[in-house]
Amino acid sequence: MTASSPTAPESVPQLGGTPVHERLRAAAAVLAPAVMARLVEQLPAYGELPSEQLRGEITREVDRGIRAFTETLRTGELPGEAELARISESSARRADEGVPLEAVVGAYHFGAQECAARVLAAAGPEDLPDVLLVQHRLLGYLRLVSCAVAAGYVQERQAALGDEQVARQELLSRLLEGGDPQAAADRAGLQLPPGYLVLGIAVGPHPDELLPGVNHAVAGRRKLRRLRNELQRRTDGDLLSGLSGDSGLVLIPSDTPPTGLGGADRDRLAELVDQLGLRCGAEVVVAAATAAPEGVAAAAQLVCEVREVARSAGRGPGLYLLDDVLLEYQLSRPSPARDRLAALLAPLDHRPDLLDTLRGYLAHGLDRRRTAAHLLVHPNTVDYRLRRAAELTGLDAARGADQLTLRAALAAHDTARRTGEHTG
């Protein structure tokens, strides 16, 4: 190893008898331009920045980084809190400008590597201990700086995403209220599309939510997160969603004005609904309608009603349009006839097992075995319950003349129960 300079402490690495930090200082005039050229060449995000910014702020940051690394080599001390805070602030500005995090971290790595390459080129075999010391301080410097860069970047992105999410929710609320959404769209940085596909979604429990000893809240959040991710992955544009608990609304922007859902559109949407169920591991019921932005409020009310009617009718998971539940939907509208129909099932108000069996039997095509499998009971139990319901109401689900009345009575009864009305 080359002997140390009389004035240099033992901890100062030297190459060829010259302290490494002095070599860096001597090369400072050419190091910053070399680092800038490498950034522009190898990191496209920096190459796309305005030339004024590159020549000004970015060049100054590179120069400060070189000087900070030089001090680390001279003293063996890593950057202090003030320098790390400055690095975090600079990283936050890059985040605000949309420069990817990997590019910001990469810029510091390229700068340090350029410095090391510049001075280590003069190293000989006898300088190996000093080369190792330079490498050790290089890694320590990059570790600390990378953490500061990530912290500043992530903090800025979280704040920006929070503001963006608030603006999106404001736009969703405005659309659902039926007011003029343009100002809210401008604040969200979104262009209002010609139309929206409005989805009313209900999600059943994931199996994990039914297991004892499992945190059901966590299982429920994971289920909704998978559903949202699958929706975003399989659709284009900026989704607006209000999903919580086991239900909610999703607005999918459309490049064309609303024209209803034709056969091909319906098939694609039905496939999407099936995939949502598979992805989140739960039964998913979706009601859908199309609307222009000014018609979203009415469409949202409609799909929520269609969704609840489909669920109350025991239709099972899948996609539902208004045309699929016309009878049940109409019978859910307030009228004296609806009240009389609902009252037919009043004797079963305290027998939910009988009501569920009637729903299942009608929904499964009068098939007692399929009904039993759905209810997780023996077919004989289904027979008993159907007989008991007939005794109490005078309506026999096995008799063709009573089946339509029972369907209508169930729709009216479930609507009255859902809205808190009485059936007596």
Side-chain angles (χ1 to χ4, degrees):
M1 175 178 174
T2 304
S4 300
S5 166
T7 59
E10 288 292 327
S11 61
V12 175
Q14 301 184 47
L15 298 176
T18 303
V20 173
H21 67 273
E22 291 183 6
R23 289 180 177 273
L24 279 181
R25 285 175 179 167
V30 294
L31 263 178
V35 172
M36 288 298 301
R38 191 173 179 187
L39 294 187
V40 171
E41 177 185 352
Q42 299 191 30
L43 297 175
Y46 278 87
E48 295 170 359
L49 292 176
S51 58
E52 179 183 1
Q53 185 181 15
L54 287 172
R55 292 193 304 269
E57 180 187 2
I58 303 302
T59 297
R60 287 194 298 272
E61 291 296 329
V62 167
D63 184 65
R64 288 190 65 128
I66 293 171
R67 284 189 277 118
F69 181 52
T70 300
E71 281 300 292
T72 293
L73 290 175
R74 184 181 71 85
T75 64
E77 297 179 1
L78 295 173
E81 291 185 4
E83 178 65 15
L84 294 176
R86 186 196 62 77
I87 290 172
S88 291
E89 291 172 5
S90 175
S91 177
R93 290 194 293 273
R94 301 294 83 76
D96 183 59
E97 295 162 358
V99 178
L101 175 59
E102 60 269 23
V104 184
V105 174
Y108 284 91
H109 279 253
F110 283 155
Q113 289 169 5
E114 189 71 27
C115 291
R118 177 77 56 169
V119 296
L120 294 181
E126 69 280 5
D127 296 317
L128 179 58
D130 293 88
V131 170
L132 293 176
L133 182 56
V134 170
Q135 295 286 3
H136 174 74
R137 292 183 180 174
L138 170 66
L139 291 175
Y141 172 84
L142 288 177
R143 175 186 59 79
L144 202 61
V145 166
S146 295
C147 290
V149 169
Y153 193 99
V154 170
Q155 184 175 2
E156 175 62 26
R157 286 305 300 150
Q158 286 177 335
L161 287 173
D163 292 341
E164 180 181 324
Q165 185 63 23
V166 168
R168 285 172 175 267
Q169 289 303 309
E170 182 185 351
L171 173 58
L172 175 61
S173 297
R174 197 64 175 167
L175 287 164
L176 296 178
E177 291 168 359
D180 181 6
Q182 188 59 58
D186 292 341
R187 283 192 291 275
L190 300 176
Q191 183 175 359
L192 283 174
Y196 282 102
L197 175 61
V198 185
L199 305 180
I201 301 178
V203 189
H206 187 277
D208 288 347
E209 295 179 83
L210 305 177
L211 292 176
V214 173
N215 188 319
H216 296 166
V218 171
R221 286 194 294 271
R222 293 183 69 236
K223 172 187 68 181
L224 287 184
R225 183 170 64 249
R226 289 193 295 267
L227 187 144
R228 290 192 192 96
N229 290 343
E230 186 68 7
L231 265 174
Q232 186 65 70
R233 187 182 73 82
R234 294 176 64 91
T235 59
D236 297 325
D238 296 300
L239 299 180
L240 298 176
S241 68
L243 291 172
S244 62
D246 61 357
S247 63
L249 287 162
V250 172
L251 307 185
I252 301 176
S254 172
D255 293 333
T256 58
T259 57
L261 289 167
D265 292 331
R266 175 177 182 138
D267 290 344
R268 284 193 293 270
L269 185 54
E271 181 188 0
L272 171 62
V273 173
D274 291 342
Q275 290 301 313
L276 292 178
L278 291 173
R279 183 66 180 131
C280 72
E283 292 188 348
V284 177
V285 175
V286 175
T290 59
E294 61 272 15
V296 164
Q301 180 177 349
L302 174 64
V303 298
C304 287
E305 292 171 348
V306 169
R307 178 192 67 199
E308 293 310 308
V309 165
R311 294 177 73 191
S312 295
R315 291 296 192 96
L319 171 68
Y320 296 94
L321 308 183
L322 176 60
D323 287 351
D324 300 319
V325 291
L326 284 176
L327 174 62
E328 294 91 339
Y329 183 85
Q330 185 58 37
L331 289 170
S332 70
R333 305 301 91 190
S335 72
R338 189 198 72 175
D339 295 340
R340 294 289 295 275
L341 282 167
L344 293 176
L345 298 181
L348 307 184
D349 278 345
H350 301 294
R351 292 297 305 271
D353 57 328
L354 302 186
L355 286 167
D356 289 343
T357 301
L358 281 174
R359 288 193 200 92
Y361 187 64
L362 295 172
H364 289 90
L366 313 182
D367 188 320
R368 57 191 287 273
R369 294 191 178 278
R370 290 175 58 200
T371 305
H374 172 72
L375 296 174
L376 302 178
V377 298
H378 193 277
N380 290 343
T381 302
V382 172
D383 292 337
Y384 166 77
R385 291 179 180 178
L386 291 175
R387 285 196 304 270
R388 186 61 181 146
E391 291 170 0
L392 293 172
T393 64
L395 297 171
D396 188 348
R399 190 165 57 226
D402 289 347
Q403 288 167 10
L404 181 59
T405 302
L406 275 170
R407 291 183 186 276
L410 279 167
H413 176 274
D414 290 341
T415 297
R417 184 182 59 181
R418 190 171 65 247
T419 57
E421 301 171 12
H422 297 288
T423 59

